[in-house]
Amino acid sequence: MQTGIRLRSALLDALAVVAPTTCAGCGEHDRSLCDACAGALRPIAREVDLDGLRVVYSHDYDGIVRSALAAYKDGGRTDAGGHLAPSLASAVAHALGSTTSTGSVHLVTVPSSRAAFRARGYTPVGLLLQHAGLRAEPALRARRQAADQSGLTAASRRQNRSGWLEPRGRIAGRRVLLVDDILTTGATLLEARRALESAGAHVIGAAVLARTPRRHPGSINGRR
Ligand SMILES: [Zn+2]
């Protein structure tokens, strides 16, 4: 028995040489994601109305979800994607499941900026969808570089974002579900809807992995 434990421990140490040695959620020395953090990533579908756009989300963007997503997007921990993908897929499924209309729906993600794509070498949301066996259509592209959003008020974010996306390809008459990772003010999703509707698409809703908890009631769509 003792030998078995020692052998297992030695095996884990050996694996740690080639595999991530810390949990992407809490940073503890463990596997890619420890059991406690995996538990915190169980999705619970909720929805919010964003200026008439129904957005389904799986988590509050906080705690383990926040650190795992940050590790995945900007910490080089693409291995966390497999753990986060079910949460995004669940939001997509709920958004599609409760739609009243029938027929095919196209998933459309918000494009990464060119700089972000160069830095990462992949698009985080597109890769999460791939993990879940889903595929997004490249129906949007960035028209110009938007300024950094951090530190801006909801109103400035909206202004900064307005008109930065444009449709690409033929999407007139198509039914579209927007997919993104984090919902904060909603400015990005609303800009995506504006761009797609300007090309004649019908945006039926949106699915996101996590929503930033509201600290200022009423501020999500800028109407206070
Ligand atoms: Zn953990």
Side-chain angles (χ1 to χ4, degrees):
M1 207 57 199
Q2 192 62 28
T3 313
I5 291 168
R6 235 181 282 130
L7 190 63
R8 182 176 175 276
S9 169
L11 186 63
L12 287 175
D13 284 347
L15 283 172
V17 176
V18 290
T21 56
T22 57
C23 167
C26 64
E28 283 295 308
H29 280 277
D30 205 315
R31 290 156 295 161
S32 174
L33 198 76
C34 74
D35 291 342
C37 289
L41 284 181
R42 265 192 290 275
I44 299 168
R46 284 154 289 172
E47 63 178 74
V48 59
D49 179 89
L50 183 70
D51 214 2
L53 180 71
R54 202 173 132 266
V55 187
V56 177
Y57 61 102
S58 291
H59 300 284
D60 285 328
Y61 183 56
D62 229 337
I64 300 302
V65 173
R66 188 183 181 117
S67 46
L69 200 50
Y72 166 68
K73 286 177 70 179
D74 299 310
R77 294 293 303 267
T78 48
D79 57 291
H83 300 284
L84 292 163
S87 296
L88 187 60
S90 167
V92 169
H94 276 87
L96 292 177
S98 47
T99 178
T100 49
S101 48
T102 53
S104 63
V105 173
H106 301 261
L107 304 183
V108 173
T109 55
V110 177
S112 300
S113 71
R114 281 169 206 272
F117 182 79
R118 269 200 304 273
R120 296 192 182 108
Y122 63 96
T123 53
V125 179
L127 195 59
L128 287 182
L129 287 175
Q130 271 181 39
H131 271 296
L134 298 168
R135 195 174 64 86
E137 312 224 357
L140 287 171
R141 70 176 155 220
R143 192 193 300 269
R144 58 181 162 74
Q145 204 66 38
D148 188 357
Q149 293 281 89
S150 54
L152 298 181
T153 63
S156 331
R157 279 185 181 222
R158 211 162 45 250
Q159 201 165 31
N160 183 38
R161 283 302 204 195
S162 182
W164 77 280
L165 288 171
E166 62 184 359
R168 58 184 287 196
R170 288 194 202 129
I171 50 164
R174 291 192 173 181
R175 286 155 19 87
V176 165
L177 181 75
L178 291 167
V179 184
D180 208 0
D181 48 6
I182 305 160
L183 169 65
T184 305
T185 65
T188 301
L189 287 178
L190 291 178
E191 166 61 9
R193 178 178 69 174
R194 182 205 61 76
L196 290 166
E197 287 182 346
S198 75
H202 176 49
V203 179
I204 62 163
V208 299
L209 200 153
R211 175 192 179 197
T212 303
R214 289 170 71 175
R215 298 198 166 87
H216 307 287
S219 65
I220 190 142
N221 57 10
R223 294 197 198 126
R224 305 210 54 175

